[in-house]
Every structure is written in C-alpha cells, then in structure tokens.
Amino acid sequence: RTWVWFSGHPFTMTLAAVPLAVNAALVKKVGGFDNTVLHGNLLSLAVFLMLVGFYVIYENKERMNKEHYATWHAWIGLVAIGGFLGSACLAFVGLHPQYGALKTSQAVRFLHRWGGRSNLVLAWVACATGFVKLQPDPSIQALFAVPLAYLAWVVLRPAPAAK
C-alpha cells in the first residue's frame, strides 16, 4: 500500500494512544517531580497528535463527501479525544506540580487518575476497532490486539505501594 492522506489518521492516533500514552502512564507510576512533568509533556504531545489525526480523518471524509461519526469507531474515538483534551486542560491548570491550584486535592487526583485510565481504554478500543476495519485477517488482528491487552494489564494496574 502507498501512503495516502488517510494514512495520517491511524498513524497519528496509534502513535498517540500506544507508545506516547503508555510511556506517559508508566513514567507517572515511577513518581517524582521530573517524571510528573514528563508525564504531562508526553500526554500533551499525544493530545496534539490526536487532534492532528482527527483533522486528517475529518478532512478525508469531507474530500470524499462521506458522513462523519457514522460508526462506533468514530464515536469511541471522539469521546477518547474529548476525554484526553479535557483531562489535559484540567491537569495543566489544576494538577501541575509547580503551580496547580488543585494539586493537593485527593479527589481531583483520583478523578484524573481514573478518568485518564478510562480515556486510555477508550483510545485503545478506538485503535483496535479501526485496525479491524483495515485488516480483515484475524491472525494479523491478534498480532495487534494481544500486545495491546498485555499493555493494558501493565499500565492499568495500580502502582505498587511505596515501601
């Protein structure tokens, strides 16, 4: 296959949802000021790439005169992007370790943590449903889904308690 305009959509969305978001979550589990800032920076880049991917697919559908938001993949992806964007805005204003107005609020931190995990699962489901549409071979689908399931187990389980 050749690179076409549409190719930018799965490329940017998968790059955002898998390596960037996964590494951001893992870095945050390590803890500390620098890792918290890196967590925010990686997720900011991920949100930017999600917005680029959204722009690409929106423009692609416009060019082809196709309906927008016609599948579960589209709606799940849209909710995931909105969740990541909202979480990023809340975190930048409220949870930044230097100046966050709500950085000591356990309730806000709890909501951010579990909201982020939910956003991540939604993004992965959107990636998987999009991949299934592009790749009809179940064995190839498994090559995508099995590592994603393992990443979910690694990333979504709570961090070990401090010793």
Side-chain angles (χ1 to χ4, degrees):
R1 292 185 179 191
T2 60
W3 183 271
V4 294
W5 175 254
F6 169 79
S7 301
H9 172 70
F11 177 76
T12 56
M13 294 303 218
T14 303
L15 184 61
V18 183
L20 284 174
V22 165
N23 280 296
L26 293 175
V27 139
K28 180 60 183 146
K29 284 185 179 201
V30 174
F33 177 86
D34 291 338
N35 288 329
T36 300
V37 171
L38 180 57
H39 165 80
N41 290 340
L42 288 170
L43 285 175
S44 295
L45 180 57
V47 168
F48 172 76
L49 287 173
M50 286 179 185
L51 293 173
V52 168
F54 175 79
Y55 170 76
V56 168
I57 196 60
Y58 191 90
E59 270 302 307
N60 191 66
K61 290 199 178 278
E62 285 290 309
R63 291 176 185 182
M64 298 177 71
N65 210 17
K66 286 189 170 183
E67 185 181 351
H68 297 278
Y69 321 118
T71 65
W72 281 107
H73 166 73
W75 282 105
I76 292 167
L78 194 60
V79 170
I81 293 168
F84 269 94
L85 188 57
S87 186
C89 291
L90 169 69
F92 186 73
V93 172
L95 295 175
H96 192 282
Q98 282 181 310
Y99 51 78
L102 303 169
K103 66 183 178 185
T104 59
S105 169
Q106 291 304 310
V108 170
R109 293 166 65 100
F110 177 85
L111 288 172
H112 178 72
R113 180 171 43 257
W114 285 98
R117 288 174 177 160
S118 300
N119 293 335
L120 194 51
V121 168
L122 286 170
W124 291 343
V125 169
C127 286
T129 57
F131 189 79
V132 166
K133 286 179 12 180
L134 292 175
Q135 178 51 255
D137 182 347
S139 60
I140 304 292
Q141 292 173 0
L143 289 174
F144 184 80
V146 170
L148 206 53
Y150 175 73
L151 283 175
W153 178 75
V154 170
V155 173
L156 299 177
R157 63 189 173 147
K163 294 180 182 179

